Amino acid sequence: MSVLEEMRIRSLGVIDDAVVELSPGFTAVTGETGAGKTMVVTSLGLLLGGRADPALVRIGAKSAVVEGRIGVSASGSAAVRAAEAGAELDEGALLISRTVSAEGRSRAHVGGRSVPVGMLAELADELVAVHGQTDQQGLLRPARQREALDRYAGDAVGVPYAKYTAAYRRLRAVCAELDELTTRARERAQEADLLRFGLDEIAAVEPLAGEDLELAAEAERLGHAEALASAASVAHAALAGNPEDPEAVDGATLVASAGRALEAVRSHDPALAALADRMGEISILLGDVAGELAGYADNLDADPLRLAAVEERRAALGQLTRKYGEDIAAVLAWAEQSAARLTELDGDDERIGELANERDVLRGELSVLAQALTDARSEAAARFAEAVTGELSSLAMPHARVSFAIRQTEAADETSGVEVGGRSVAYGPTGADEVELLLAPHPGAPPRPIAKGASGGELSRVMLAVEVVFAGTDPVPTYLFDEVDAGVGGKAAVEIGRRLAKLAKSAQVVVVTHLPQVAAFADRQLLVEKTNDGSVTRSGVTVLEGEDRVRELSRMLAGQEDSETARAHAEELLATARLEV
């Protein structure tokens, strides 16, 4: 069994530097009001992932540090989880530390390794149950009462609850998408009309890829046809000669004459022969250019009708590029994307139908699962209430009765609810049930919500009874109670002490208490004392034995450590507790 063996607390609240040595069984932590007893609970809360409040750091200190040593089984889930994070056991114990700086920064270490604070909370779920005044107040909330009932029910609720949660999340997603599609129907219709208009306009023109560039080049050519033809004729005449002017000297004739001159002497010098070869290449090139110039002039289209047709086509393409893209390539890309989007929009009606069908199916599934949750909770509630009532009999509330009210609220309309028990009821992420814990403190008293029907002392005992019942079904190794005996005295306090001692037979129990009737039942009693300067040091947390324990119980009983009457009463309490435990 996992056991919290030791805690060292430094610079936390009134505690300067103290070591709290714990043991298996029942340990009571006592001391004067304001001595720092609650800091024991606060320290353990920090070790187990609780919120780091920089106000807890002792004035003048840079940080508060809490270190704990918890004995665990090497094969236990806590040790395995810690090992996965790289932590190591120290002689069968897990070393945990938490540091809180005065600026609010927080660091956590497990087994010598730095870990996220969230991991401490994971370990806490398996190792320790902490209960204080805030937990009692939490038990007043119906949501916490439902959680307690679900925890007690175990898999009977857990299995359908997991299925319900998955179906509920999917239904939320389906309804959200369905709402978006239906509420945006007008916007989607307008978008579809615009897309169809654009696609129809583009289809009417039937643009081709690159057509705008080709037409621009053709328009440029047709618009300067006369200048181009004249330039080609002049260039051709300069290269090949003008038949109308036989005396004119042309380029081809001059190049041919130069080539012949070089050919006549090429055998006398290789360099000149190379130049003769290049002159021959020039002559061939001139002939080719001259031929292409002649063909260009013959083929040049100067038809003004063709130019008008080209400009008209360019104007049609320009209408498209002004609306849908900077060029025809962009227009065609827009058309492709818009066609895909239109297909998507046209398919929304079909999608709406699919989602509506899925919504109805999911609501049907939720109805079945919600009914299963209600049935399982109702069955568990009867057992849970009976068990808690039995525990209250052992806590000086022999006539008290605990019960659960499990109700559902009518849905606003049939389409917004799920069917449970033949009725359409409202539902949420935890099902359709409203769970409330009721207490009838004595015969004849009507069952009332514990928030209204229980005094502070009764609430403390109800919480303890609930935890004891949990210990039998879902136990944790260590229980820590802070002021669980608030508002309790006399016989009820004795019964609480007796019940805590019984719980300590199967788990480690640590109780911060101000009642001697409770402390007397402890296997070990720790005293928290302040020094003269108002701080708690190493010597300020001591284990009480023998005469020292009698003196502390006397102080708790009468405020007078040396009162003979109080001492006699303290010794009687201890003797009674030893006989009964």
Side-chain angles (χ1 to χ4, degrees):
M1 182 180 74
S2 300
V3 175
L4 180 61
E5 299 175 353
E6 181 181 275
M7 281 197 305
R8 183 178 183 184
I9 308 166
R10 287 178 287 174
S11 301
L12 184 72
V14 298
I15 298 180
D16 179 26
D17 188 346
V19 175
V20 180
E21 297 181 359
L22 302 170
S23 64
F26 181 5
T27 299
V29 181
T30 64
E32 293 279 4
T33 300
K37 301 187 300 297
T38 300
M39 286 298 103
V40 175
V41 180
T42 302
S43 300
L44 188 55
L46 287 173
L47 277 184
L48 301 174
R51 187 176 68 88
D53 185 355
L56 294 173
V57 180
R58 185 171 172 79
I59 296 175
K62 294 182 178 180
S63 61
V65 180
V66 182
E67 298 169 316
R69 181 181 177 87
I70 301 178
V72 295
S73 169
S75 59
S77 57
V80 171
R81 178 67 185 90
E84 291 174 352
E88 297 181 358
L89 294 182
D90 179 36
E91 298 180 353
L94 196 59
L95 302 181
I96 301 175
S97 71
R98 181 82 179 275
T99 302
V100 181
S101 73
E103 292 78 24
R105 293 188 299 274
S106 174
R107 290 181 290 126
H109 291 80
V110 175
R113 289 296 184 94
S114 178
V115 298
V117 173
M119 183 180 171
L120 300 185
E122 291 181 30
L123 297 176
D125 291 339
E126 302 176 17
L127 298 177
V128 182
V130 181
H131 292 284
Q133 291 295 312
T134 56
D135 300 277
Q136 292 187 33
Q137 296 304 313
L139 192 62
L140 299 178
R141 301 199 307 268
R144 284 290 297 275
Q145 295 168 15
R146 180 196 54 75
E147 291 172 5
L149 177 59
D150 288 354
R151 175 183 164 197
Y152 176 80
D155 289 343
V157 166
V159 172
Y161 185 72
K163 295 179 180 177
Y164 178 93
T165 300
Y168 179 82
R169 284 199 298 264
R170 177 56 189 162
L171 178 60
R172 290 287 300 271
V174 167
C175 289
E177 185 178 354
L178 191 57
D179 288 344
E180 182 181 3
L181 289 177
T182 53
T183 56
R184 292 184 59 242
R186 179 177 300 177
E187 296 176 17
R188 292 185 296 105
Q190 292 173 346
E191 183 183 359
D193 286 345
L194 289 173
L195 292 176
R196 287 192 186 92
F197 178 83
L199 290 172
D200 290 344
E201 192 173 14
I202 294 172
V205 177
E206 297 182 344
L208 301 175
E211 183 182 6
D212 51 340
L213 301 178
E214 295 175 2
L215 289 174
E218 185 177 1
E220 184 72 14
R221 187 169 60 250
L222 289 172
H224 300 83
E226 293 184 3
L228 293 173
S230 175
S233 296
V234 171
H236 180 267
L239 294 179
N242 186 349
E244 298 179 359
D245 186 7
E247 299 296 328
V249 179
D250 57 80
T253 301
L254 293 174
V255 170
S257 176
R260 286 193 298 273
L262 294 177
E263 284 292 333
V265 296
R266 64 178 297 155
S267 60
H268 302 303
D269 185 354
L272 200 61
L275 292 173
D277 292 338
R278 291 172 65 186
M279 191 61 71
E281 294 172 0
I282 292 173
S283 180
I284 294 171
L285 182 59
L286 283 175
D288 290 342
V289 173
E292 290 184 19
L293 286 171
Y296 178 84
D298 292 339
N299 295 327
L300 187 62
D301 186 1
D303 185 0
L305 294 179
R306 173 57 186 166
L307 178 59
V310 168
E311 293 296 349
E312 183 179 354
R313 179 64 175 173
R314 290 186 69 199
L317 296 178
Q319 292 284 347
L320 300 181
T321 56
R322 278 193 293 273
K323 294 181 180 180
Y324 308 111
E326 61 182 11
D327 54 28
I328 292 302
V331 169
L332 293 174
W334 182 90
E336 183 179 358
Q337 295 168 1
S338 298
R341 174 60 177 161
L342 186 59
T343 300
E344 180 182 332
L345 291 172
D346 288 341
D348 279 351
D349 290 339
E350 181 180 349
R351 178 62 177 159
I352 288 174
E354 293 173 354
L355 289 172
N357 289 335
E358 185 177 3
R359 177 199 59 196
D360 294 341
V361 170
L362 286 168
R363 278 183 175 163
E365 292 179 6
L366 284 179
S367 293
V368 174
L369 292 169
Q371 183 68 65
L373 283 175
T374 298
D375 294 342
R377 284 169 176 158
S378 299
E379 189 277 333
R383 292 187 291 109
F384 193 18
E386 183 178 358
V388 173
T389 298
E391 286 297 329
L392 290 177
S393 297
S394 302
L395 294 173
M397 295 177 67
H399 304 297
R401 299 289 301 175
V402 168
S403 59
F404 277 96
I406 300 178
R407 299 180 290 265
Q408 297 82 34
T409 301
E410 295 287 341
D413 54 72
E414 292 187 359
T415 61
S416 64
V418 294
E419 185 174 330
V420 174
R423 298 180 300 139
S424 179
V425 299
Y427 64 99
T430 61
D433 303 319
E434 298 173 6
V435 177
E436 193 165 33
L437 186 61
L438 307 178
L439 174 68
H442 53 81
R448 300 182 65 194
I450 59 172
K452 300 176 181 178
S455 65
E458 289 170 340
L459 182 59
S460 296
R461 282 176 279 175
V462 170
M463 190 195 75
L464 177 57
V466 167
E467 196 57 67
V468 170
V469 170
F470 279 145
T473 59
D474 185 22
V476 294
T478 299
Y479 294 89
L480 179 63
F481 294 96
D482 180 20
E483 304 288 355
V484 70
D485 47 18
V488 177
K491 182 179 179 182
V494 173
E495 295 301 333
I496 287 179
R498 183 180 290 116
R499 198 62 193 86
L500 289 169
K502 183 178 179 181
L503 179 61
K505 292 184 179 299
S506 59
Q508 181 184 36
V509 177
V510 181
V511 179
V512 176
T513 181
H514 66 281
L515 293 181
Q517 297 95 325
V518 173
F521 280 88
D523 301 308
R524 193 179 206 192
Q525 185 170 346
L526 299 179
L527 174 64
V528 180
E529 291 181 297
K530 288 183 181 180
T531 60
N532 292 333
D533 65 358
S535 67
V536 177
T537 63
R538 280 180 177 274
S539 61
V541 181
T542 56
V543 179
L544 299 179
E545 296 179 350
E547 182 63 23
D548 291 335
R549 189 171 183 188
V550 172
R551 283 176 58 83
E552 172 62 8
L553 289 176
S554 299
R555 180 198 64 76
M556 297 171 72
L557 280 165
Q560 300 174 346
E561 296 90 335
D562 299 322
S563 166
E564 290 299 325
T565 302
R567 287 174 58 82
H569 191 183
E571 290 173 349
E572 182 182 0
L573 272 178
L574 284 172
T576 302
R578 291 192 187 100
L579 288 174
E580 295 187 7
V581 174

